[in-house]
Structure formats: structure tokens, C-alpha cells
Amino acid sequence: MGLSEKQAKHDLEIISQENNLTLSKEQTEAVIHISTSKDRFSAVQGLAGTGKTYMLNATREVLEKNGYEVIGASFTGKAAEGLQTDAKIKSTTIHSLLNKLEKEAGNSILGEDFSHKIKWDFEGLTASQKPEVWVIDEAGLTDNNIMVNLQEAAKLKKAKVVLVGDYQQLAPVGAGNSYSNLVQSGEISTCYLSDIRRQKDETLLKAVYESVKGDINKSLELMSDRIFEIKSPVKRIKAITKEYTLLSTSEQEKTIVLTAKNKDRIAINDSIRKTLIKKGKLEQGKEYTIQTGKANECKRNFAVNDKIIFFKNDYKLGVMNGQTGNVIEINDKSLIINSNDKNIEINLENYNHFDHGYAMTTHKAQGITANKVIINMDSSQKQLNSRNNYYVDISRAKNEVSIYTNSKCKIDQQVSLFARKLSLNNFKRKDDSLKVKISRKIDYENKLYLSIKNLARKIDDVNKIKIKYNK
């Protein structure tokens, strides 16, 4: 199923010379690992900013040179877009891939809501003439149900599946945490990328390392002069707005504002827009009816130069959920938006799933890189202030991070622990497949509980003997 190590190394050396690639030792080992693996399922566990897509571009070249078709997919449209743009791997969301495979098997249902499917019928699906490798990016966001369906389809297609992600970033929204369980239990062949290359500022680089691999207190200490405590939410948003709008237009293009909740995202976007209008850098624009969620219709004004973010995949338009762009023209019922160096005309009668994009939620930001990141952290949103979120937030930036919070003390406590999903269902590689098993962590905790309970009984028995002897 895989290449020989000799062949993979030889081809990688030629491709690196031809394309002027400068792969690190870890990245080279990852390319060889993926290319030579005999397993149907393998994994690459890489920290944020270790150049996973750069490595995947080289991997694609090696595999294609040896007759493989490389297909990309991710849980989010934004990650799929990045995989396609940066690694040159033709990519879609995992849902779209599974929908396509069901259709290929002849089992799709006409008129079905394909965007909300949770089960697919792959009976009759057969292998392609050309061997396939499926690269699943941001695999840490893939829940158990999606993983099971992906497994079933891959077996029928006889495709190799490479799960690429970072289990220390955000966990899946759905049930289970398959990627994390697989990698941490050692039940899947895995290589690791830990050499962070994204951060150009040395202090920020150290802070990111400490946030994920070291002492969280050291990370916060390194960031201390960039953490600003402002108790009032209104004044805090005003301060965030001031920092953003004082930047030049070119600097704003390379800056993102992150926050945990949608309500804060909307408030920050409104504040930034009002200030840009007041400064004469943006017009009020035209009012349009947009949809920011499953049923959240509202009215927003858009003008030329407005920053926007898309909320729904539309392959006919060529846009994906989480993709960003800039408005370059407005008409009565349409907008023209430049995104990824391509102009996209949006007819609002057919598509209106977008909003202002100066600020976005952390979930939308996973997979994004910016020169500067401004972060809003509210201690009242305790469940959203995990170490995972803090790590994702600060690791988006290459050069500079600013954090605004209502309470430094509370935030320090809240980001001290990684958020973990405990699940009874886990996945195990056996006989070239993945099978559901009881979570080792839960099993360990149960054994620990029983050990403590037995120890307590023994102590109680000893005390009874002492009492009897004393009498």
C-alpha cells in the first residue's frame, strides 16, 4: 500500500530540489512516514505553526509522482480552503466528500438536505482504478460519527487515510474525540511535528510553546505586558476598537480580532465599523438582509472595503464556511467580494450567509494565520476559556498578540487546564480497521478509584484490629 523508504526519499530529494523546498528534519520524516506507511490509517500530530500544510504539499508531490490521487477534506470549509490553496490538494469538507461517495455508490436521495446528514449509505462503493490517499486536515475537529463513516468509505474504496491535526487545539463539537483518543492511546501509526516555525517574535514563540507543552504560568508571564485588564465590557470593546483602527489599512488586513462568543463578535464588529466610518475610512453603505446562523436573519450595512466572513459552503460560488474577503463593489441586490485573489459576485436572493469579518470567533480562526491578533477574553465565559482556546488564540499570530480581559486573575486560573472530552467510545486499529473500544482514560480512572477504595478498606480493617487489640 505504501512506497519503499528508498523510493520515497529519492523522490522527495528530487522534488525538493526542483521546487526549492526547505523541509525541516521533522517535516521530512512526516513525508516519509505518510508515503511509506502500510497501514490504511495513519496520523500526523503537529503543533500549531509547525508547517503541516507545507509538509503536505511535498507529500502530495511524492505521492502523485508514484501514481496516487491525493484528495483533501476537513471538517471546516476554511481548513479545506487552506489545504487546497497552500498544499495544492483538491479539497472539500468531509461532509461533501461523504456525500460524493454516497452518490458514487448510487445511494443518494434526491432532494435530501445534504448539509445536515449524519449517516451515509456506501453499499456498492468500489475502489477506483487509481489508488487514493485521503488527507483529513484539522482532524481534531472530527467527531466519532464522522470518523466511523469515513472509515467505512475508505475500506470500500481501498483508500489510505492520513489524519492531520493537533489534539491540543479545539475539540469536536459533536460526540467523542476520535483523533485525540487514537493518537494518545497509540492505536494509530503517528509521527510528530513540534518545531514551531510560525512565530517570528521570540517572546511570543516561547509563550506559545509554554501554552501547549510547558508551564502555563510562564506563558502568561511572557505575555503579561500585552494583557490589559478592563472590567467594563463596553470600555474593553472600545479599547480593542482603538487598537485595531489605529493600524494602517495594510496592517488591518493582516490583523484578526478573536473572541469566544458570537454576541461579542457582533459587538466588536459594530464598534470597529462605526469608528472606521467616523474616521472617514469607510462609508455607511447599503443595508442588506443576511443570515448569520441556521435561522438568524438580520439586517447589516455593507460598504466598499468592508471585511467580511462567509458562514456557509457554496461550491458553485466557490466559497467556504470561515472564508474571508473584502467588498469591492455593492449593488441593490448583490455584492462583489474579493477573496483569495478572486472576485466573487454574491446575489443575495440566492446566498446571504455572511457577516462583517473584522472580528471572528476562536472556532472560526483555527487554521488561520495573521501578523497580529487582538483577543477578547471574558472570565464570565468560563467554559470557553480553556487552555486549548488560549493556545489556539495566541498561536494564530506571527508577530504580536494583545489580550483584553475583565480579570487577569480569573483568566489565569481558567486557562490553566486543557478541556478534555471523556467518552466511552474510542477507536482502535486492528486488522487494518478502526474499532470502537472502551476509553483507556476512563478505564484507568475506574481502576484508580477501585484501588483507592480497596486501600480505604484496608486502612479501615487495620483500624478495627487496633481498636480490638487496645480493648
PDB file of all heavy atoms in Angstrom, residues 280-307:
ATOM      1  N   GLY A 280     -13.651  58.364   8.444  1.00  0.00           N
ATOM      2  CA  GLY A 280     -13.714  58.597   7.006  1.00  0.00           C
ATOM      3  C   GLY A 280     -13.043  57.519   6.175  1.00  0.00           C
ATOM      4  O   GLY A 280     -12.775  57.713   4.981  1.00  0.00           O
ATOM      5  N   LYS A 281     -12.774  56.366   6.794  1.00  0.00           N
ATOM      6  CA  LYS A 281     -12.113  55.275   6.075  1.00  0.00           C
ATOM      7  C   LYS A 281     -13.105  54.266   5.503  1.00  0.00           C
ATOM      8  O   LYS A 281     -12.722  53.339   4.783  1.00  0.00           O
ATOM      9  CB  LYS A 281     -11.141  54.548   7.014  1.00  0.00           C
ATOM     10  CG  LYS A 281      -9.962  55.411   7.437  1.00  0.00           C
ATOM     11  CD  LYS A 281      -8.996  54.623   8.298  1.00  0.00           C
ATOM     12  CE  LYS A 281      -7.790  55.479   8.679  1.00  0.00           C
ATOM     13  NZ  LYS A 281      -6.819  54.720   9.514  1.00  0.00           N
ATOM     14  N   LEU A 282     -14.399  54.462   5.826  1.00  0.00           N
ATOM     15  CA  LEU A 282     -15.438  53.539   5.367  1.00  0.00           C
ATOM     16  C   LEU A 282     -16.758  54.295   5.280  1.00  0.00           C
ATOM     17  O   LEU A 282     -17.031  55.163   6.110  1.00  0.00           O
ATOM     18  CB  LEU A 282     -15.568  52.369   6.362  1.00  0.00           C
ATOM     19  CG  LEU A 282     -16.422  51.167   5.958  1.00  0.00           C
ATOM     20  CD1 LEU A 282     -15.718  50.353   4.873  1.00  0.00           C
ATOM     21  CD2 LEU A 282     -16.677  50.269   7.181  1.00  0.00           C
ATOM     22  N   GLU A 283     -17.563  53.973   4.277  1.00  0.00           N
ATOM     23  CA  GLU A 283     -18.886  54.592   4.160  1.00  0.00           C
ATOM     24  C   GLU A 283     -19.913  53.754   4.910  1.00  0.00           C
ATOM     25  O   GLU A 283     -19.677  52.588   5.237  1.00  0.00           O
ATOM     26  CB  GLU A 283     -19.272  54.712   2.686  1.00  0.00           C
ATOM     27  CG  GLU A 283     -18.412  55.701   1.909  1.00  0.00           C
ATOM     28  CD  GLU A 283     -18.861  55.841   0.465  1.00  0.00           C
ATOM     29  OE1 GLU A 283     -19.827  55.151   0.070  1.00  0.00           O
ATOM     30  OE2 GLU A 283     -18.235  56.639  -0.260  1.00  0.00           O
ATOM     31  N   GLN A 284     -21.070  54.350   5.191  1.00  0.00           N
ATOM     32  CA  GLN A 284     -22.143  53.625   5.877  1.00  0.00           C
ATOM     33  C   GLN A 284     -22.605  52.440   5.034  1.00  0.00           C
ATOM     34  O   GLN A 284     -22.890  51.367   5.554  1.00  0.00           O
ATOM     35  CB  GLN A 284     -23.326  54.561   6.146  1.00  0.00           C
ATOM     36  CG  GLN A 284     -24.467  53.933   6.933  1.00  0.00           C
ATOM     37  CD  GLN A 284     -24.061  53.578   8.357  1.00  0.00           C
ATOM     38  OE1 GLN A 284     -23.241  54.263   8.967  1.00  0.00           O
ATOM     39  NE2 GLN A 284     -24.616  52.497   8.877  1.00  0.00           N
ATOM     40  N   GLY A 285     -22.678  52.643   3.717  1.00  0.00           N
ATOM     41  CA  GLY A 285     -23.035  51.551   2.805  1.00  0.00           C
ATOM     42  C   GLY A 285     -24.522  51.297   2.704  1.00  0.00           C
ATOM     43  O   GLY A 285     -25.349  52.064   3.211  1.00  0.00           O
ATOM     44  N   LYS A 286     -24.874  50.192   2.040  1.00  0.00           N
ATOM     45  CA  LYS A 286     -26.270  49.805   1.844  1.00  0.00           C
ATOM     46  C   LYS A 286     -26.679  48.740   2.856  1.00  0.00           C
ATOM     47  O   LYS A 286     -25.859  47.958   3.314  1.00  0.00           O
ATOM     48  CB  LYS A 286     -26.474  49.245   0.427  1.00  0.00           C
ATOM     49  CG  LYS A 286     -26.375  50.283  -0.685  1.00  0.00           C
ATOM     50  CD  LYS A 286     -26.628  49.640  -2.035  1.00  0.00           C
ATOM     51  CE  LYS A 286     -26.584  50.658  -3.158  1.00  0.00           C
ATOM     52  NZ  LYS A 286     -27.696  51.628  -3.101  1.00  0.00           N
ATOM     53  N   GLU A 287     -27.968  48.728   3.175  1.00  0.00           N
ATOM     54  CA  GLU A 287     -28.487  47.735   4.114  1.00  0.00           C
ATOM     55  C   GLU A 287     -28.946  46.489   3.357  1.00  0.00           C
ATOM     56  O   GLU A 287     -29.638  46.565   2.356  1.00  0.00           O
ATOM     57  CB  GLU A 287     -29.658  48.320   4.908  1.00  0.00           C
ATOM     58  CG  GLU A 287     -30.153  47.386   6.014  1.00  0.00           C
ATOM     59  CD  GLU A 287     -31.310  47.983   6.805  1.00  0.00           C
ATOM     60  OE1 GLU A 287     -32.437  47.987   6.267  1.00  0.00           O
ATOM     61  OE2 GLU A 287     -31.074  48.455   7.929  1.00  0.00           O
ATOM     62  N   TYR A 288     -28.539  45.344   3.870  1.00  0.00           N
ATOM     63  CA  TYR A 288     -28.922  44.058   3.276  1.00  0.00           C
ATOM     64  C   TYR A 288     -29.428  43.130   4.371  1.00  0.00           C
ATOM     65  O   TYR A 288     -29.049  43.248   5.542  1.00  0.00           O
ATOM     66  CB  TYR A 288     -27.727  43.386   2.594  1.00  0.00           C
ATOM     67  CG  TYR A 288     -27.119  44.171   1.459  1.00  0.00           C
ATOM     68  CD1 TYR A 288     -26.053  45.046   1.691  1.00  0.00           C
ATOM     69  CD2 TYR A 288     -27.594  44.036   0.161  1.00  0.00           C
ATOM     70  CE1 TYR A 288     -25.490  45.770   0.654  1.00  0.00           C
ATOM     71  CE2 TYR A 288     -27.024  44.752  -0.891  1.00  0.00           C
ATOM     72  CZ  TYR A 288     -25.973  45.614  -0.634  1.00  0.00           C
ATOM     73  OH  TYR A 288     -25.411  46.326  -1.663  1.00  0.00           O
ATOM     74  N   THR A 289     -30.295  42.187   3.984  1.00  0.00           N
ATOM     75  CA  THR A 289     -30.747  41.142   4.915  1.00  0.00           C
ATOM     76  C   THR A 289     -29.813  39.950   4.768  1.00  0.00           C
ATOM     77  O   THR A 289     -29.665  39.396   3.673  1.00  0.00           O
ATOM     78  CB  THR A 289     -32.193  40.708   4.609  1.00  0.00           C
ATOM     79  OG1 THR A 289     -33.052  41.852   4.726  1.00  0.00           O
ATOM     80  CG2 THR A 289     -32.653  39.632   5.584  1.00  0.00           C
ATOM     81  N   ILE A 290     -29.171  39.569   5.860  1.00  0.00           N
ATOM     82  CA  ILE A 290     -28.224  38.451   5.830  1.00  0.00           C
ATOM     83  C   ILE A 290     -28.630  37.389   6.843  1.00  0.00           C
ATOM     84  O   ILE A 290     -29.516  37.601   7.677  1.00  0.00           O
ATOM     85  CB  ILE A 290     -26.786  38.920   6.123  1.00  0.00           C
ATOM     86  CG1 ILE A 290     -26.719  39.551   7.533  1.00  0.00           C
ATOM     87  CG2 ILE A 290     -26.292  39.877   5.056  1.00  0.00           C
ATOM     88  CD1 ILE A 290     -25.334  39.694   8.068  1.00  0.00           C
ATOM     89  N   GLN A 291     -27.955  36.240   6.765  1.00  0.00           N
ATOM     90  CA  GLN A 291     -28.233  35.135   7.689  1.00  0.00           C
ATOM     91  C   GLN A 291     -26.918  34.720   8.331  1.00  0.00           C
ATOM     92  O   GLN A 291     -25.995  34.288   7.640  1.00  0.00           O
ATOM     93  CB  GLN A 291     -28.856  33.958   6.935  1.00  0.00           C
ATOM     94  CG  GLN A 291     -29.583  32.985   7.844  1.00  0.00           C
ATOM     95  CD  GLN A 291     -30.569  32.119   7.075  1.00  0.00           C
ATOM     96  OE1 GLN A 291     -31.286  32.604   6.221  1.00  0.00           O
ATOM     97  NE2 GLN A 291     -30.595  30.844   7.380  1.00  0.00           N
ATOM     98  N   THR A 292     -26.820  34.849   9.656  1.00  0.00           N
ATOM     99  CA  THR A 292     -25.563  34.563  10.354  1.00  0.00           C
ATOM    100  C   THR A 292     -25.572  33.224  11.079  1.00  0.00           C
ATOM    101  O   THR A 292     -24.619  32.875  11.748  1.00  0.00           O
ATOM    102  CB  THR A 292     -25.253  35.673  11.371  1.00  0.00           C
ATOM    103  OG1 THR A 292     -26.308  35.730  12.340  1.00  0.00           O
ATOM    104  CG2 THR A 292     -25.128  37.015  10.689  1.00  0.00           C
ATOM    105  N   GLY A 293     -26.659  32.494  10.960  1.00  0.00           N
ATOM    106  CA  GLY A 293     -26.755  31.169  11.583  1.00  0.00           C
ATOM    107  C   GLY A 293     -27.832  30.372  10.890  1.00  0.00           C
ATOM    108  O   GLY A 293     -28.269  30.713   9.786  1.00  0.00           O
ATOM    109  N   LYS A 294     -28.285  29.283  11.515  1.00  0.00           N
ATOM    110  CA  LYS A 294     -29.299  28.436  10.890  1.00  0.00           C
ATOM    111  C   LYS A 294     -30.602  29.187  10.643  1.00  0.00           C
ATOM    112  O   LYS A 294     -31.299  28.938   9.676  1.00  0.00           O
ATOM    113  CB  LYS A 294     -29.550  27.201  11.768  1.00  0.00           C
ATOM    114  CG  LYS A 294     -28.376  26.230  11.773  1.00  0.00           C
ATOM    115  CD  LYS A 294     -28.669  25.024  12.647  1.00  0.00           C
ATOM    116  CE  LYS A 294     -27.483  24.062  12.664  1.00  0.00           C
ATOM    117  NZ  LYS A 294     -27.726  22.900  13.543  1.00  0.00           N
ATOM    118  N   ALA A 295     -30.960  30.094  11.553  1.00  0.00           N
ATOM    119  CA  ALA A 295     -32.212  30.836  11.361  1.00  0.00           C
ATOM    120  C   ALA A 295     -32.091  32.251  11.908  1.00  0.00           C
ATOM    121  O   ALA A 295     -33.058  32.830  12.382  1.00  0.00           O
ATOM    122  CB  ALA A 295     -33.346  30.091  12.047  1.00  0.00           C
ATOM    123  N   ASN A 296     -30.878  32.809  11.842  1.00  0.00           N
ATOM    124  CA  ASN A 296     -30.641  34.132  12.411  1.00  0.00           C
ATOM    125  C   ASN A 296     -30.592  35.204  11.331  1.00  0.00           C
ATOM    126  O   ASN A 296     -29.522  35.679  10.958  1.00  0.00           O
ATOM    127  CB  ASN A 296     -29.333  34.145  13.215  1.00  0.00           C
ATOM    128  CG  ASN A 296     -29.385  33.190  14.390  1.00  0.00           C
ATOM    129  OD1 ASN A 296     -30.447  32.952  14.952  1.00  0.00           O
ATOM    130  ND2 ASN A 296     -28.243  32.647  14.758  1.00  0.00           N
ATOM    131  N   GLU A 297     -31.740  35.543  10.787  1.00  0.00           N
ATOM    132  CA  GLU A 297     -31.791  36.612   9.780  1.00  0.00           C
ATOM    133  C   GLU A 297     -31.726  37.961  10.467  1.00  0.00           C
ATOM    134  O   GLU A 297     -32.350  38.177  11.501  1.00  0.00           O
ATOM    135  CB  GLU A 297     -33.077  36.513   8.944  1.00  0.00           C
ATOM    136  CG  GLU A 297     -32.870  35.783   7.649  1.00  0.00           C
ATOM    137  CD  GLU A 297     -33.969  36.042   6.633  1.00  0.00           C
ATOM    138  OE1 GLU A 297     -34.897  36.817   6.920  1.00  0.00           O
ATOM    139  OE2 GLU A 297     -33.882  35.448   5.551  1.00  0.00           O
ATOM    140  N   CYS A 298     -30.932  38.858   9.898  1.00  0.00           N
ATOM    141  CA  CYS A 298     -30.827  40.204  10.456  1.00  0.00           C
ATOM    142  C   CYS A 298     -30.406  41.176   9.348  1.00  0.00           C
ATOM    143  O   CYS A 298     -30.116  40.763   8.228  1.00  0.00           O
ATOM    144  CB  CYS A 298     -29.812  40.231  11.596  1.00  0.00           C
ATOM    145  SG  CYS A 298     -28.187  39.645  11.107  1.00  0.00           S
ATOM    146  N   LYS A 299     -30.403  42.447   9.678  1.00  0.00           N
ATOM    147  CA  LYS A 299     -30.029  43.465   8.690  1.00  0.00           C
ATOM    148  C   LYS A 299     -28.676  44.053   9.057  1.00  0.00           C
ATOM    149  O   LYS A 299     -28.409  44.336  10.220  1.00  0.00           O
ATOM    150  CB  LYS A 299     -31.103  44.557   8.634  1.00  0.00           C
ATOM    151  CG  LYS A 299     -32.449  44.062   8.097  1.00  0.00           C
ATOM    152  CD  LYS A 299     -33.424  45.198   7.900  1.00  0.00           C
ATOM    153  CE  LYS A 299     -34.782  44.686   7.421  1.00  0.00           C
ATOM    154  NZ  LYS A 299     -34.699  44.032   6.093  1.00  0.00           N
ATOM    155  N   ARG A 300     -27.815  44.190   8.030  1.00  0.00           N
ATOM    156  CA  ARG A 300     -26.489  44.774   8.208  1.00  0.00           C
ATOM    157  C   ARG A 300     -26.187  45.707   7.042  1.00  0.00           C
ATOM    158  O   ARG A 300     -26.643  45.488   5.924  1.00  0.00           O
ATOM    159  CB  ARG A 300     -25.411  43.686   8.216  1.00  0.00           C
ATOM    160  CG  ARG A 300     -25.445  42.744   9.388  1.00  0.00           C
ATOM    161  CD  ARG A 300     -24.627  43.252  10.560  1.00  0.00           C
ATOM    162  NE  ARG A 300     -24.344  42.141  11.437  1.00  0.00           N
ATOM    163  CZ  ARG A 300     -25.174  41.672  12.364  1.00  0.00           C
ATOM    164  NH1 ARG A 300     -26.352  42.250  12.542  1.00  0.00           N
ATOM    165  NH2 ARG A 300     -24.842  40.643  13.114  1.00  0.00           N
ATOM    166  N   ASN A 301     -25.387  46.722   7.326  1.00  0.00           N
ATOM    167  CA  ASN A 301     -24.910  47.612   6.274  1.00  0.00           C
ATOM    168  C   ASN A 301     -23.537  47.154   5.787  1.00  0.00           C
ATOM    169  O   ASN A 301     -22.669  46.801   6.605  1.00  0.00           O
ATOM    170  CB  ASN A 301     -24.814  49.047   6.791  1.00  0.00           C
ATOM    171  CG  ASN A 301     -26.153  49.724   6.813  1.00  0.00           C
ATOM    172  OD1 ASN A 301     -27.013  49.387   7.624  1.00  0.00           O
ATOM    173  ND2 ASN A 301     -26.362  50.677   5.920  1.00  0.00           N
ATOM    174  N   PHE A 302     -23.360  47.166   4.472  1.00  0.00           N
ATOM    175  CA  PHE A 302     -22.067  46.809   3.880  1.00  0.00           C
ATOM    176  C   PHE A 302     -21.650  47.895   2.908  1.00  0.00           C
ATOM    177  O   PHE A 302     -22.481  48.461   2.194  1.00  0.00           O
ATOM    178  CB  PHE A 302     -22.148  45.453   3.169  1.00  0.00           C
ATOM    179  CG  PHE A 302     -22.329  44.300   4.100  1.00  0.00           C
ATOM    180  CD1 PHE A 302     -23.605  43.877   4.452  1.00  0.00           C
ATOM    181  CD2 PHE A 302     -21.237  43.651   4.646  1.00  0.00           C
ATOM    182  CE1 PHE A 302     -23.788  42.822   5.335  1.00  0.00           C
ATOM    183  CE2 PHE A 302     -21.408  42.591   5.526  1.00  0.00           C
ATOM    184  CZ  PHE A 302     -22.684  42.174   5.869  1.00  0.00           C
ATOM    185  N   ALA A 303     -20.345  48.162   2.889  1.00  0.00           N
ATOM    186  CA  ALA A 303     -19.800  49.194   2.004  1.00  0.00           C
ATOM    187  C   ALA A 303     -18.534  48.663   1.337  1.00  0.00           C
ATOM    188  O   ALA A 303     -17.968  47.643   1.756  1.00  0.00           O
ATOM    189  CB  ALA A 303     -19.485  50.448   2.812  1.00  0.00           C
ATOM    190  N   VAL A 304     -18.082  49.356   0.315  1.00  0.00           N
ATOM    191  CA  VAL A 304     -16.819  49.003  -0.327  1.00  0.00           C
ATOM    192  C   VAL A 304     -15.703  49.080   0.715  1.00  0.00           C
ATOM    193  O   VAL A 304     -15.655  50.002   1.536  1.00  0.00           O
ATOM    194  CB  VAL A 304     -16.535  49.966  -1.507  1.00  0.00           C
ATOM    195  CG1 VAL A 304     -15.123  49.740  -2.063  1.00  0.00           C
ATOM    196  CG2 VAL A 304     -17.569  49.761  -2.607  1.00  0.00           C
ATOM    197  N   ASN A 305     -14.827  48.075   0.704  1.00  0.00           N
ATOM    198  CA  ASN A 305     -13.695  47.911   1.644  1.00  0.00           C
ATOM    199  C   ASN A 305     -14.081  47.216   2.946  1.00  0.00           C
ATOM    200  O   ASN A 305     -13.202  46.963   3.781  1.00  0.00           O
ATOM    201  CB  ASN A 305     -12.985  49.237   1.949  1.00  0.00           C
ATOM    202  CG  ASN A 305     -12.338  49.836   0.724  1.00  0.00           C
ATOM    203  OD1 ASN A 305     -11.862  49.117  -0.148  1.00  0.00           O
ATOM    204  ND2 ASN A 305     -12.337  51.161   0.633  1.00  0.00           N
ATOM    205  N   ASP A 306     -15.369  46.903   3.132  1.00  0.00           N
ATOM    206  CA  ASP A 306     -15.757  46.146   4.316  1.00  0.00           C
ATOM    207  C   ASP A 306     -15.103  44.767   4.297  1.00  0.00           C
ATOM    208  O   ASP A 306     -15.031  44.104   3.261  1.00  0.00           O
ATOM    209  CB  ASP A 306     -17.283  45.956   4.365  1.00  0.00           C
ATOM    210  CG  ASP A 306     -17.943  46.777   5.460  1.00  0.00           C
ATOM    211  OD1 ASP A 306     -17.305  46.960   6.518  1.00  0.00           O
ATOM    212  OD2 ASP A 306     -19.086  47.223   5.255  1.00  0.00           O
ATOM    213  N   LYS A 307     -14.644  44.343   5.479  1.00  0.00           N
ATOM    214  CA  LYS A 307     -14.097  42.999   5.654  1.00  0.00           C
ATOM    215  C   LYS A 307     -15.267  42.075   5.966  1.00  0.00           C
ATOM    216  O   LYS A 307     -16.101  42.406   6.829  1.00  0.00           O
ATOM    217  CB  LYS A 307     -13.121  43.021   6.829  1.00  0.00           C
ATOM    218  CG  LYS A 307     -11.951  42.073   6.727  1.00  0.00           C
ATOM    219  CD  LYS A 307     -11.054  42.252   7.954  1.00  0.00           C
ATOM    220  CE  LYS A 307      -9.650  41.787   7.674  1.00  0.00           C
ATOM    221  NZ  LYS A 307      -8.791  41.935   8.863  1.00  0.00           N
TER     222      LYS A 307
END
